[in-house]
Amino acid sequence: LTPKALCRIVRFQNVHRLLPPDRQPAWVDLALEGGYADQAHLIREFRELSGMSPRQFLRDEGRLSRHLTSSERLRLLFAVARGPGE
């Protein structure tokens, strides 16, 4: 995992934590707060990482969202990034 790839994944996961409870975000505000340059950047990266737009992702949320943002997934991700014995 390259540093840039890790940053993309962490930024992607961070947006999930920032989603409002009603799941009706102001996408541009969410993008900026989540570390994206603009809304288009958020949409493009969502498509690259999840294979769908943010709106589709929210509609179809569930397995993928829980998988990507689970604490176990983060532990595994960081364990791989550190390498064996680190």
Side-chain angles (χ1 to χ4, degrees):
L1 205 60
T2 66
K4 184 174 181 177
L6 178 60
C7 286
R8 291 177 75 203
I9 292 168
V10 169
R11 184 172 47 222
F12 181 70
Q13 291 175 330
N14 187 44
V15 167
H16 292 280
R17 287 188 284 279
L18 295 172
L19 282 169
D22 65 4
R23 299 292 208 220
Q24 297 298 320
W27 289 110
V28 70
D29 295 336
L30 185 64
L32 296 175
E33 190 175 346
Y36 292 92
D38 54 26
Q39 184 175 350
H41 184 203
L42 168 75
I43 292 168
R44 184 174 55 253
E45 199 151 278
F46 247 84
R47 282 193 173 129
E48 290 172 6
L49 295 174
S50 71
M52 59 187 80
S53 73
R55 187 163 296 180
Q56 290 170 311
F57 186 85
L58 285 180
R59 187 181 59 235
D60 300 339
E61 193 177 20
R63 295 183 319 250
L64 180 61
S65 177
R66 285 191 297 274
H67 175 69
L68 291 173
T69 60
S70 73
S71 57
E72 178 60 25
R73 175 73 176 136
L74 288 173
R75 276 194 296 278
L76 290 171
L77 177 65
F78 288 116
V80 168
R82 283 194 305 269
E86 290 183 29

